[in-house]
Amino acid sequence: MDFPNRASVVIVGGGVVGCSLAYHLTLRGCTDVVLLERKQLTCGTTWHAAGLVGQLRATYNLTRLAQYTANLYASLEQETGQATGFRQTGSMAIATHAARMEELLRGASMAKCFGLEVQTMSPAEIAATWPGVTTEDVVGGVFLPKDGRCNPIDTTQALAKGAKNRGAKIFENTAVEKILVENGKAVGVRTAKGEIRADMVVNCAGMWAHELGAQTGTTVPLHAAEHFYIVTEPMPGLHSNLPVMRDPDNCAYFKEDAGKLLVGWFEPVAKPWGMQGIPESFSFDSLPDDLEHIEPLLASAMKRLPALANTGINLFFNGPESFTPDDRYLLGETPEVRNLFVAAGFNSIGIQSAGGAGKVLADWMLDGHPPMDLWDVDIRRCMPFQRNKKYLRDRTVETLGLLYDMHWPFRQPATARGVRRSVLHDRLKALGACFGETAGWERANWFAPAGVKAEYEYSYGRQNWFEHTAAEHNAVRNAVGLFDQSSFAKFVVQGPDAERVLGRICANDVAVPVGKMVYTQWLNARGGIEADLTITREAPDRFLVVTAAATQTRDFAWLQSQIPADAHAIATDISSSMAVLSVMGPKSRALLQSLTPADLSNAAFPFGTSQIIDLGYARVRASRITYVGELGWELYIPTECTMGVFDVLLEAGPAFGLKLCGYHALNSLRMEKGYRHWGHDISDEDTPQQAGLGFAVAMNKAGGFTGLEALQQQKAQGLTRKLVQFALHDDSKLLYHNEPIYRDGAIVGRISSGMYGHALQKSLGMGYVEFGSAPGAGDADQLLQGAYEVEVAGVRVPATPSLAPFYDPKSLRIKS
């Protein structure tokens, strides 16, 4: 086969993911595909994978992708003639304590949202399913009968064969020396055999993806870690239909393998590998044994399966896998270089993820947008600092073990902390702040009073900060709270065409007077919400855009991509130049008025406006807006002036009942008011009309906006689902996300976010309710009829639905 010099798509990397992408591109009719593998297919990490094909993942859409993978592998052999070894033997997860059992039960409840069969198991049923397993310390488990396993090499070869059968070209022993970039676009690759020009390039290079991405200036944060498993001599009593058994409390998984037993581990403290780069010669290689490292885990495995102690070990294997800082893989077009896509960093679940990931990335590339909400794995969630090798090395010590560790609500990473800090960090720490991490930012989640340790004690119930956050919450409702929200992402759009450009990007009307604030969404052509943010007109030709810390990269990339090349407008990320202090509560006006000569009265400073005022010795931008449902201001302060303003507020605060507040209180306050959170309650799959945000859309504004036509069509056809708020009748049950919503006994949706509302003393949640297209089905009165329940860890709890906020539905307090 002649080496080509041109292709529509070049894929770099011949593991299971690269071959899946080639398969799905050709399945879509894009047959001019070239896949380049530096050595041989599967030679990096795919070949030594355990081949587990589980379907239940942490979120709804990731589970949908895993389900697709299982269905694909079940049909590949029939299509291609290449055996895959895929069999649906099921999988079983066991729990040795109540909290783990609740985690499993919550996952089982979530599985019902998409028809995934899950059965709960007693210790006796577990023992009967896996003969010889010790269950003295087991409290229960769950069984997924449709989970499977496969041979990773054969599965990859089947995907490659399917791709080649439809015209794809695969070249082994062809290392890519460089991805070619011109004018901000990927245009091909350079190899020792010559250059290939291409319309799109995909980095599927596995452990090498970080270095390959760095050559192009793109952020591909992953790092290899050593991963251990053993294969025993033949073991009596094992049969080929045994399900995979996961014992997460002992970090282990067990799998029958041709009459032998394979046992692997995800230990709490991992061993990063490849800090100095991965050898060029690396191919089907393993790493040195380290029995001392896993000896305690091996001892635990022998207690779980005593026969293991009397069976010889045929293979002690140590091979590298790549892990990302948040244990979720990297997918999509890079924000730095157009037409350069990534599918890498699969955190030891590449086999079970490859089918779905290949399909949705192929759709993304060919259609110009993701086919579903992929924020969980979207590479645009990554921050530039995450290219730092020391950061990646230090975080990888933890991330491997997190696969099997407890997935507590509000769990915070323990490693590689302190990357991004507010200038007030040390002050807040001294005042009792317990910090969480978001996009590298250290943010005060709650404040410990004197005598209380500012540390998390995790559980699925009310955690140790519950009452402290309640005090913060109630201070905002009754007096005044102070939040450090410096992590906000802040962009300036300026130039003669700034208004026109933003007018097209924004669903709301930004042609407003100087000093006016606009709450708006940025929509895609399908009407889905790409961003949810505020815009302040600072001058006739200058606008301040404020959005969430977690979406800084994504939103700035979207903004830049939407500015026409011939427009006289430029976007600049100024996030680090300003800190933000939010002063919120009924006494916020009185506190601030005591510190500034500016007139803060309702008449002089109405809601939704912004002014430059004197405060302390500083000039700050005060913006009257809220995310908590109370009178309040966000203060945008030059970073170097922030400590002075903070000290002035803290000194004057006691007279007004000021309390320092964290992000947990912010979350509970916004839940009471029904404020949406992008990434949970709204996404690029949801429209403003479905989300109850139609008030922020200017359907008739001059010039229209991106997504207008889709919204008009949706309005004409009618809605089939709507975001609804819920209050549980049992306030001891806490909602987090993905709990099934029932109406009259049938599942009609799932919870998108939840939190306890301290002022209402109710456990709250919100989620989309599907109601079909029958006449009147979306009518508010009809939608709210019926008996609603939300399932929490297998128990259905009655719930009251509402389309209006449970707290201050007419927003009288905000505009007071």
Side-chain angles (χ1 to χ4, degrees), residues 44 118 132 267 275 308 331 369 537 618 668 680 707 741 771 802-803:
V118 183
E267 65 274 22
M275 285 76 75
L308 181 59
L331 205 67
H369 60 82
R537 187 163 205 163
S668 60
H680 286 96
I741 301 168
F771 46 77
S802 179
L803 291 173

Side-chain angles (χ1 to χ4, degrees), residues 423-504:
V423 293
L424 296 173
H425 180 272
D426 290 347
R427 302 276 182 104
L428 298 178
K429 183 177 181 180
L431 292 166
C434 184
F435 294 95
E437 185 217 43
T438 295
W441 280 101
E442 295 294 321
R443 309 198 305 186
N445 278 347
W446 57 281
F447 285 85
V452 175
K453 274 191 174 183
E455 296 177 359
Y456 277 95
E457 296 174 11
Y458 295 115
S459 77
Y460 274 97
R462 298 182 176 187
Q463 296 187 12
N464 64 316
W465 46 265
F466 185 87
E467 294 300 332
H468 308 314
T469 290
E472 297 169 21
H473 180 116
N474 291 323
V476 174
R477 290 281 180 250
N478 301 312
V480 59
L482 177 61
F483 300 85
D484 180 9
Q485 293 189 271
S486 300
S487 62
F488 272 148
K490 315 162 196 85
F491 317 138
V492 164
V493 181
Q494 58 189 333
D497 292 336
E499 179 187 300
R500 178 177 63 84
V501 167
L502 284 174
R504 184 67 189 169

Side-chain angles (χ1 to χ4, degrees), residues 94 96 123 126-127 130-138 245 247 250 300-307:
I94 63 177
T96 63
I126 292 168
W130 251 84
V133 165
T134 299
T135 58
E136 293 176 356
D137 61 338
V138 173
M245 179 172 63
D247 183 7
N250 289 298
S300 296
M302 290 176 178
K303 290 180 181 178
R304 180 64 62 221
L305 194 65

Side-chain angles (χ1 to χ4, degrees), residues 519 521 529 532 674 676 682 687-697:
Y519 170 58
Q521 286 79 46
I529 300 170
D532 180 68
R676 283 60 167 151
I682 48 180
T687 70
Q689 293 159 343
Q690 294 167 335
L693 298 174
F695 66 90
V697 179

Side-chain angles (χ1 to χ4, degrees), residues 465-778:
W465 46 265
F466 185 87
E467 294 300 332
H468 308 314
T469 290
E472 297 169 21
H473 180 116
N474 291 323
V476 174
R477 290 281 180 250
N478 301 312
V480 59
L482 177 61
F483 300 85
D484 180 9
Q485 293 189 271
S486 300
S487 62
F488 272 148
K490 315 162 196 85
F491 317 138
V492 164
V493 181
Q494 58 189 333
D497 292 336
E499 179 187 300
R500 178 177 63 84
V501 167
L502 284 174
R504 184 67 189 169
I505 298 172
C506 299
N508 212 341
D509 192 356
V510 296
V512 296
V514 172
K516 187 77 174 71
M517 303 183 72
V518 178
Y519 170 58
T520 188
Q521 286 79 46
W522 292 347
L523 308 182
N524 55 45
R526 286 119 26 232
I529 300 170
E530 292 286 344
D532 180 68
L533 40 79
T534 62
I535 293 181
T536 302
R537 187 163 205 163
E538 295 187 317
D541 61 350
R542 179 182 168 99
F543 295 80
L544 174 66
V545 179
V546 178
T547 188
T551 57
Q552 179 178 355
T553 299
R554 176 196 172 100
D555 291 351
F556 193 64
W558 181 266
L559 173 61
Q560 289 184 306
S561 72
Q562 300 301 302
I563 299 177
D566 61 350
H568 294 284
I570 188 170
T572 308
D573 188 332
I574 63 164
S575 299
S576 298
S577 69
M578 289 186 290
V580 180
L581 294 177
S582 293
V583 183
M584 298 287 159
K587 296 184 180 179
S588 59
R589 177 183 282 122
L591 168 58
L592 290 172
Q593 192 65 82
S594 72
L595 299 172
T596 181
D599 185 352
L600 303 184
S601 68
N602 202 44
F605 208 139
F607 178 76
T609 62
S610 181
Q611 301 177 25
I612 303 294
I613 67 171
D614 290 342
L615 192 60
Y617 292 139
R619 297 276 289 165
V620 309
R621 174 168 291 283
S623 297
R624 190 175 163 193
I625 196 76
T626 182
Y627 193 54
V628 301
E630 298 291 345
L631 171 70
W633 280 262
E634 291 174 356
L635 307 175
Y636 292 79
I637 311 163
T639 300
E640 67 274 18
C641 300
T642 304
M643 288 188 183
V645 172
F646 178 76
D647 290 343
V648 167
L649 288 168
L650 224 57
E651 183 179 356
F656 302 91
L658 177 72
K659 193 169 187 64
L660 292 173
C661 301
Y663 274 82
H664 290 334
L666 190 76
N667 195 24
S668 60
L669 290 158
R670 72 99 183 170
M671 284 297 300
E672 288 188 333
K673 196 67 178 69
Y675 289 145
R676 283 60 167 151
H677 182 275
W678 196 93
H680 286 96
D681 312 308
I682 48 180
S683 73
D684 59 6
E685 284 192 88
D686 309 309
T687 70
Q689 293 159 343
Q690 294 167 335
L693 298 174
F695 66 90
V697 179
M699 295 287 287
N700 299 316
K701 71 173 178 176
F705 56 88
T706 301
L708 173 60
E709 294 77 11
L711 296 190
Q712 289 172 332
Q713 183 178 7
Q714 185 179 73
K715 187 174 182 180
Q717 293 175 343
L719 299 179
T720 59
R721 65 189 184 104
K722 190 174 288 187
L723 192 64
V724 178
Q725 296 159 66
F726 295 94
L728 298 187
H729 293 184
D730 181 353
D731 63 12
S732 70
K733 304 290 187 182
L734 299 182
L735 299 176
Y736 299 113
H737 62 272
N738 287 328
E739 294 88 353
I741 301 168
Y742 291 80
R743 182 185 180 194
D744 296 331
I747 293 178
V748 291
R750 67 188 189 278
I751 294 296
S752 53
S753 64
M755 196 71 172
Y756 189 85
H758 297 283
L760 299 173
Q761 295 189 335
K762 293 287 185 183
S763 185
L764 304 175
M766 63 176 78
Y768 288 91
V769 170
E770 306 277 348
F771 46 77
S773 55

Side-chain angles (χ1 to χ4, degrees), residues 371-383:
M372 58 197 290
D373 173 21
L374 294 171
W375 176 236
D376 289 323
V377 294
D378 193 324
I379 195 168
R380 291 173 294 176
R381 76 189 186 277
C382 302
M383 299 292 154

